[in-house]
Amino acid sequence: STRVRSSAASDVYKRQHESQVLTHNRINKMKINKESNVYTVVYAAVLVVVVGFVLALVYQAMRPAQLENIANDTKKQILAAALIHPSGAETVSELYDRHITGSYCVNSKGERIEGIDAMSVSMAAEVKKPAEKRQLPVFECQTEKGTKYIVPVAGAGLWGPIWGYIAMDANGVDIYGAYFGHQGETPGLGAEIEKPAFSDQFGGKPIFGSDGQFESVLVVKKGQEPTDRAYVNAVSGGTITSQGVQKMLAESLEPYTAYFKSLDNESTK
């Protein structure tokens, strides 16, 4: 009888032990193996999703401020062409609203195009189109020296895009002021196009010849100045960038010919 009870107890113990071992094995199988390739891939994927979500939220939160900064920088460049610069407590936006009294687009015939925001037009894209298909922005600016008409220009330098704004006198013939910018021209060389020492040369230069034909303004090296054309001196050591400015002016301004001549007709009435 004692042996029977001992054998029964032993069987119960074995069954309990086997059950515990089985349960332990199941738990181990359910545990994540952090050293497996599957774990690494899943962890990386989850991390990418979370980081991407956070970055998207940050981008959306900052986007309005970024757009405002871009708009203000463009306004500052437009005003610079008319020789107007921020000073004191007045913001760029306030200065722009005070001086820019109108903006619109015209076509190559000098006719206004309705329903287009001049500020939203990319001149870099427009110069790639045939002249007759372009949307040509115009910004009317009131200055101490009367109304000026500011138009954008865009082209290519040595290392990347160059651009600018040209302010025309009310007669549509003479340049009142200019601003130029660049993306990656060489400092001290081609990058000098953004300095007043270069842009100030354009004041008073006519873009039409004595016969009334569009001629633009040449950008030439010192010692190579023409006697029968309007010109400015190229930046020292920035030959290709200077040539880019000359080409940019010719290709960007010529489609405005009809519009500029309409200004000349108005000013002589």
Side-chain angles (χ1 to χ4, degrees), residues 79-98:
L79 291 171
L83 311 181
I84 300 172
H85 304 280
S87 62
E90 192 170 26
T91 66
V92 171
S93 185
E94 292 170 341
L95 194 65
Y96 180 89
D97 291 340
R98 182 158 64 88

Side-chain angles (χ1 to χ4, degrees), residues 14 18 26 52 55 62 83 97 103 105 108 129 140 155 184 186 189-190 196 200 202 205 213 234 243 256 267:
K14 288 181 179 180
E18 290 174 353
R26 287 176 178 174
L55 290 177
M62 296 181 63
L83 311 181
D97 291 340
S103 61
C105 288
S108 60
K129 302 176 184 178
E140 293 187 6
T186 307
L189 300 176
D200 287 352
F202 288 85
K205 302 295 183 181
Q213 297 299 307
Q243 291 173 348
Y256 283 95
S267 67

